[in-house]
Amino acid sequence: MAKIDTLNLPEVNFSEEGPFRHLHLGSEWIQGSMLVDAPTLLVHEYIQRMMAWLLFVDPTGVGKRQALQLGLGAGSLTKFCHKELRMKTTAIELNPQVLHACRGWFKLPQDNSRMQVVLADASQEIQQPRWLGAVDALQVDLYDEEAAAPVLDSEDFYANCRKTLTEDGCMTVNLFGRTSSFQKSVDKMAAAFGMDAIWAFKSTREGNTVVMAQRTASRPKRAVLAERAEVIKAQWGLPADKWVRVFKPVQP
């Protein structure tokens, strides 16, 4: 594994806001949050929407699937997939300070038989043979301290992401930033996955747009999505009934 150059990585700190704790990478931008009294709760709307892949699988088999996060953030998705969904879960993180912060301030468990954090460059790590065709839920949330645009956002990167997925696997991506271009990013994903495999939410009030790409394109009927949404809401407390209303295939 290539050695990580820690000298050029941003300093990690946190702030408190009432019952919430926020993670920062040396700037005012919030890179993740936790409700201190409920550490596995998904605080931000966009983070909740990163779980939209649940609409496309049988809820009864979720615990047998594997999740992979590119970018640890405050550990929200990693904790939720591990603790609430009971999935085998791995996060890939470049900055060792982020991992230390998550363990010290954001109640991320130590590595165990079902959860681990890999310190590596995500673009390189996902090309390792162990990930090929092995991931059911790939969640991509990669931003630097400026939060200006996704750190990895190329056609080649998305093609490698697709190779990690199982046949019915899905990738969800958070698109946010002052210089990011939604359409350009979607076009790169479509080049790798096919436009018929791309779904997107409407933007949140904070400016985050979550896009989903399927390894194998499908068009479940709205009634099926609505039925699964009710199960997701009842079982895991996620507002999936609202997702169905603001989530649709991207038109070419």
Side-chain angles (χ1 to χ4, degrees):
M1 184 181 297
K3 185 177 179 180
I4 298 172
D5 180 8
T6 58
L7 294 178
N8 295 318
L9 294 174
E11 183 179 354
V12 177
N13 50 32
F14 73 94
S15 63
E16 303 275 358
E17 183 184 4
F20 298 100
R21 182 172 295 160
H22 305 302
L23 178 75
H24 304 271
L25 298 182
S27 74
E28 64 185 19
W29 294 100
I30 293 173
Q31 300 283 345
S33 303
M34 178 182 73
L35 182 61
V36 176
D37 290 340
T40 63
L41 186 75
L42 298 181
V43 173
H44 298 294
E45 185 175 33
Y46 86 89
I47 285 286
Q48 296 170 358
R49 292 178 175 184
M50 294 286 280
M51 304 302 303
W53 60 270
L54 285 167
L55 291 169
F56 294 79
V57 301
D58 180 355
T60 62
V62 167
K64 298 177 182 178
R65 294 178 176 270
Q66 178 164 229
L68 179 64
Q69 290 91 39
L70 306 188
L72 182 60
S76 299
L77 291 170
T78 304
K79 289 184 294 185
F80 191 88
C81 288
H82 171 57
K83 291 273 193 176
E84 303 298 330
L85 300 186
R86 310 295 296 173
M87 298 175 72
K88 187 175 182 181
T89 306
T90 302
I92 300 174
E93 173 55 48
L94 184 65
N95 191 338
Q97 288 188 57
V98 172
L99 175 57
H100 296 325
C102 283
R103 294 254 161 86
W105 305 331
F106 292 89
K107 301 185 181 180
L108 180 73
Q110 296 292 323
D111 285 1
N112 56 60
S113 61
R114 287 193 302 106
M115 192 214 80
Q116 65 168 328
V117 178
V118 177
L119 288 172
D121 182 324
S123 65
Q124 298 175 16
E125 177 63 24
I126 61 171
Q127 297 182 61
Q128 296 300 312
R130 66 169 172 155
W131 299 118
L132 299 181
V135 179
D136 298 291
L138 177 65
Q139 296 162 315
V140 183
D141 193 8
L142 293 166
Y143 287 84
D144 61 15
E145 66 272 24
E146 297 299 325
V151 174
L152 299 175
D153 185 43
S154 69
E155 183 180 329
D156 286 345
F157 168 67
Y158 291 125
N160 286 329
C161 285
R162 186 177 186 274
K163 291 175 184 176
T164 71
L165 295 176
T166 57
E167 283 303 311
D168 62 349
C170 296
M171 173 185 75
T172 49
V173 181
N174 171 36
L175 295 179
F176 170 79
R178 298 184 299 281
T179 64
S180 67
S181 168
F182 170 80
Q183 192 57 53
K184 286 182 179 179
S185 294
V186 167
D187 288 345
K188 293 169 189 173
M189 290 182 215
F193 284 81
M195 184 60 80
D196 59 344
I198 310 297
W199 296 65
F201 282 95
K202 294 180 180 178
S203 177
T204 66
R205 285 172 295 180
E206 294 77 21
N208 301 82
T209 302
V210 171
V211 179
M212 189 188 81
Q214 300 174 279
R215 171 67 189 258
T216 305
S218 67
R219 288 287 187 269
K221 293 182 178 179
R222 286 283 160 176
V224 173
L225 295 178
E227 183 178 338
R228 284 180 178 165
E230 290 302 322
V231 175
I232 294 165
K233 183 179 180 180
Q235 194 160 339
W236 296 299
L238 295 169
D241 54 329
K242 296 179 181 178
W243 297 348
V244 177
R245 298 197 293 270
V246 293
F247 186 54
K248 63 182 181 179
V250 173
Q251 299 302 319

